[in-house]
Amino acid sequence: MASSKTVLSVIAATVLLTSLLWKLTSSSSSSSAESIDFIKKTISSNKIAIFSKSYCPYCRRAKAVFKELKQVPYVVELDERADGPNIQDALSELIGRRTVPQVFVNGKYIGGSDDTVAAYESGELAKLLGLEVRHKDDL
């Protein structure tokens, strides 16, 4: 039979583990809520918001579209922020995609790199930005 000392050690370890798990879970929930708030404020406060990673070629491609349109987006480089992984998880919760870039124009979700390029090529992006729509012949 186990000694009372062993039983107390197991109980203490169980309580400690439960406490740690609870802290991790509640901390994750609050950081998720903070990240979601940050994302929503970023989108609503900026004409163009891009959630990006500085080394990502698809992100560079999406940012280049706005440079071509002579527009300056507000860019959140997730790899340069301590809370970047939390923001990326929150993006996944909000829009169902965890990949980058994620582009928003005037509060509207555009999508990733391919979606942004397609919106540019179709003229939809220029319309959303209130720019004169150029025909493909003009390019």
Side-chain angles (χ1 to χ4, degrees):
M1 176 153 202
S3 73
S4 61
K5 196 173 191 181
T6 304
V7 171
L8 286 176
S9 294
V10 169
I11 291 171
T14 303
V15 168
L16 179 62
L17 183 59
T18 303
S19 174
L20 286 173
L21 287 173
W22 183 82
K23 279 186 179 183
L24 285 173
T25 304
S26 64
S27 167
S28 173
S29 295
S30 73
S31 67
S32 175
E34 288 171 13
S35 295
I36 288 171
D37 286 345
F38 171 78
I39 292 166
K40 288 179 177 179
K41 285 177 187 166
T42 299
I43 293 167
S44 66
S45 302
N46 296 283
K47 186 175 185 178
I48 305 162
I50 302 176
F51 296 89
S52 171
K53 290 190 178 176
S54 62
Y55 57 82
C56 170
Y58 300 103
C59 297
R60 283 195 292 273
R61 183 173 162 216
K63 290 182 270 191
V65 166
F66 293 99
K67 188 173 185 177
E68 182 70 27
L69 291 169
K70 296 178 178 38
Q71 299 292 304
V72 180
Y74 182 83
V75 180
V76 178
E77 297 292 4
L78 298 174
D79 60 311
E80 296 176 356
R81 297 176 57 106
D83 61 349
N86 294 339
I87 294 170
Q88 194 165 6
D89 289 343
L91 280 167
S92 179
E93 285 180 44
L94 285 172
I95 59 176
R97 287 186 179 176
R98 195 174 191 292
T99 57
V100 290
Q102 294 304 324
V103 179
F104 297 83
V105 174
N106 290 325
K108 180 180 181 199
Y109 175 60
I110 303 301
S113 178
D114 290 343
D115 303 310
T116 302
V117 170
Y120 168 69
E121 290 175 347
S122 73
E124 183 63 26
L125 196 55
K127 283 183 200 173
L128 285 171
L129 292 166
L131 303 173
E132 183 181 323
V133 179
R134 298 183 342 181
H135 299 287
K136 287 188 179 183
D137 296 344
D138 297 339
L139 299 175

